[in-house]
Amino acid sequence: MSRPHGIPLPSAQRSSDSDETESACADDKQGQPRPREGVRQLTGAERVRTLVESNASVSLTLPGARDTHEHDELGKGAPVARTVTPDGDVILLVSGESAAARAAAHAQDDDLTAVIEITDVAPVSVPHRIRGRAWLAGWLTPVRGDDRAACAALLAERQPVGELLGMSDFPDPPGEARSTRPAWMMLRLEVGEISVDDLWGAERVDPEELAGAEPDPMTAHEAELLQHLHAAHADRVADLCGLLGPRATAGLKAVPLALDRLGLRVRFTDAGDGAARSSFDARFDFPEPVADVCGLRRAVHHLFAAAAH
């Protein structure tokens, strides 16, 4: 599939390749700490799929929209739910009154280009709180006809929304004589290009890999678990400094930053003041990938036990 015309996506150069590369995660001049260890990690497609299926904030823009008023309304019409189909398309649920819904109602299969931007913010307070961004560009059309029931079911699996009830009864937007718009509209983004810039670096992702990638099973629980670790077990998280080797220094502040089925990432900040304060990340691999919350608890307890010894 060719790149959607006129949609500039961010550079896919890894931030470690050049000091001049601007990262979407950058925080002024310091920039987002990047991992230096050779640790296990999710693939780029898995990271993007996880962001799509997560509760991270999302915006939808139409680069080709002629009416600037539409751009103003797009901010109010952000998708309230999204998921990925078995074919790799992204299904979005938006307000029927949104500019995106109005524009898509009159679009043909390849004449309305759109970009989804997903911003992932750490659920705990840390320096450089934006953990990553992903951009998916492609062609936007309404979900019509027999596809509605299947797409509504996919959305409900990932993020139940009461308004999905009766979705299959909505009229097709174009060519209808009815004067009222549906309260909600499902849109399909046929993805042509993907870029991600996150804690692991920046890269492009083949859209064909998105369909086959699985979202990380911890994504639905990550925010709650990180907040719990930070609030109730801050001392044990700080004990992980004992596993840092030469990097362990007195006065390091430790905050749990991210977790997935493969491991826990902690952001360590030194005791400097203001601009002199620096941060780095350490990634702690689990003994084996976890599939659920029970397995995650066992893996985290294993890390704490290792740090205690």
Side-chain angles (χ1 to χ4, degrees):
M1 183 180 296
S2 60
R3 178 176 177 171
H5 177 69
I7 303 182
L9 289 185
S11 170
Q13 296 294 321
R14 291 186 62 86
S15 61
S16 59
D17 292 342
S18 170
D19 292 339
E20 297 179 357
T21 300
E22 182 179 355
S23 166
C25 295
D27 187 309
D28 296 325
K29 295 181 180 180
Q30 277 194 329
Q32 179 76 276
R34 302 287 194 179
R36 297 179 181 177
E37 312 95 325
V39 296
R40 300 194 306 265
Q41 68 181 79
L42 305 181
T43 67
E46 288 174 327
R47 282 146 43 206
V48 172
R49 179 70 183 261
T50 298
L51 284 176
V52 172
E53 305 280 13
S54 74
N55 292 324
S57 63
V58 61
S59 64
L60 174 64
T61 58
L62 310 179
R66 295 194 181 102
D67 188 350
T68 56
H69 182 58
E70 289 190 354
H71 289 288
D72 294 336
E73 292 194 52
L74 283 173
K76 301 177 182 178
V80 297
R82 70 259 185 183
T83 192
V84 178
T85 72
D87 295 328
D89 296 338
V90 178
I91 303 301
L92 306 166
L93 181 64
V94 301
S95 166
E97 296 295 332
S98 67
R102 295 199 304 271
H106 304 288
Q108 300 301 315
D109 290 342
D110 60 356
D111 67 352
L112 182 63
T113 54
V115 178
I116 301 170
E117 179 176 343
I118 304 172
T119 303
D120 179 33
V121 180
V124 291
S125 179
V126 291
H128 322 297
R129 194 164 180 177
I130 294 179
R131 300 188 299 187
R133 290 190 175 95
W135 298 263
L136 299 92
W139 298 269
L140 198 65
T141 54
V143 176
R144 298 188 174 104
D146 295 339
D147 288 340
R148 291 186 181 187
C151 290
L154 280 175
L155 279 170
E157 286 178 10
R158 302 305 306 173
Q159 186 176 353
V161 180
E163 290 81 5
L164 286 173
L165 298 175
M167 181 71 75
S168 60
D169 296 328
F170 285 171
D172 284 328
E176 293 289 338
R178 306 178 77 153
S179 59
T180 60
R181 297 181 187 271
W184 300 97
M185 180 182 287
M186 286 184 294
L187 303 179
R188 180 192 306 274
L189 183 76
E190 184 181 0
V191 182
E193 189 165 355
I194 302 172
S195 179
V196 61
D197 188 357
D198 60 10
L199 295 169
W200 296 104
E203 62 182 277
R204 300 225 184 245
V205 174
D206 186 339
E208 294 183 359
E209 296 178 359
L210 185 65
E214 290 291 334
D216 187 82
M218 295 297 101
T219 185
H221 313 285
E222 185 198 24
E224 180 182 358
L225 291 169
L226 289 175
Q227 289 167 353
H228 175 72
L229 282 174
H230 186 46
H233 303 289
D235 54 342
R236 305 198 71 180
V237 174
D239 287 343
L240 294 174
C241 289
L243 302 176
L244 293 178
R247 286 185 298 171
T249 59
L252 282 178
K253 178 182 178 181
V255 179
L257 176 68
L259 61 83
D260 53 51
R261 70 177 186 273
L262 300 178
L264 171 69
R265 184 190 298 269
V266 177
R267 177 148 299 165
F268 294 94
T269 306
D270 63 27
D273 294 327
R277 182 176 299 174
S278 62
S279 301
F280 67 90
D281 286 2
R283 171 80 173 190
F284 301 94
D285 284 347
F286 297 146
E288 59 185 17
V290 299
D292 52 33
V293 174
C294 291
L296 177 66
R297 289 195 181 110
R298 289 193 297 269
V300 171
H301 289 158
H302 176 88
L303 287 179
F304 289 160
H309 290 84

